[in-house]
Amino acid sequence: MADTLGPAVLAYLAPDALRPPRATGAPTGRLTPGHAALRALSAEAGEEDAGESGLEEITSPVFVVRDGGAGVLAAAGYAHWPRDTAHLCVLTAPGARGRGLARQVASEATAHALAAGLLPQWRARPAASRRGAAALGYRELGAQLSVRLV
């Protein structure tokens, strides 16, 4: 038996196409992959959103916006895939969505990937994620259909 997860779009960014977002006023910091604050963000977002984000797969520095304490409101980084692809991974806490924080941290992660000579790739199913990628300059160039065998 198979469970189809639905199509996701694949978007890519040319080296000169990054459009940084408007400043949110929130400072961006860095964490290492697997940091406890990132695990807490994943738990807060829930299994489905955390799994969709790919946050656990990040191999780059993780760019974050903190909540003023030890918590993380938004995080982004990338997994270094074959053929010098930087697969972007982005997650925002449910209560912080709609404030531009995902775009802010994704812009930092994308700039880091470009500086490393990598091709940024954004895979998205949710409409909000697709809009965020487009706002940063990513262009949708393909699709991916995922099937889970159960």
Side-chain angles (χ1 to χ4, degrees):
M1 174 170 236
D3 178 19
T4 303
L5 301 177
V9 299
L10 296 173
Y12 297 88
L13 187 86
D16 60 350
L18 179 60
R19 294 189 304 255
R22 278 189 251 152
T24 64
T28 304
R30 287 188 188 192
L31 295 175
T32 57
H35 191 280
L38 299 173
R39 290 192 303 273
L41 173 62
S42 291
E44 180 182 353
E47 188 176 328
E48 185 175 337
D49 284 351
E52 183 73 23
S53 77
L55 199 64
E56 299 296 321
E57 300 169 18
I58 293 175
T59 58
S60 73
V62 185
F63 299 87
V64 298
V65 171
R66 291 184 171 260
D67 66 3
V72 172
L73 297 174
Y78 58 86
H80 190 159
W81 280 10
R83 303 200 184 271
D84 288 333
T85 300
H87 179 73
L88 266 284
C89 305
V90 184
L91 183 62
T92 304
R97 293 180 182 163
R99 296 172 26 195
L101 301 178
R103 288 182 193 155
Q104 179 179 337
V105 293
S107 177
E108 295 280 336
T110 299
H112 187 275
L114 289 169
L118 304 175
L119 173 65
Q121 172 187 275
W122 190 303
R123 178 188 157 282
R125 243 187 290 278
S129 183
R130 293 175 68 181
R131 287 190 303 271
L136 292 175
Y138 282 81
R139 291 186 49 220
E140 292 182 2
L141 299 174
Q144 175 186 34
L145 179 65
S146 298
V147 177
R148 180 178 28 220
L149 300 175
V150 289

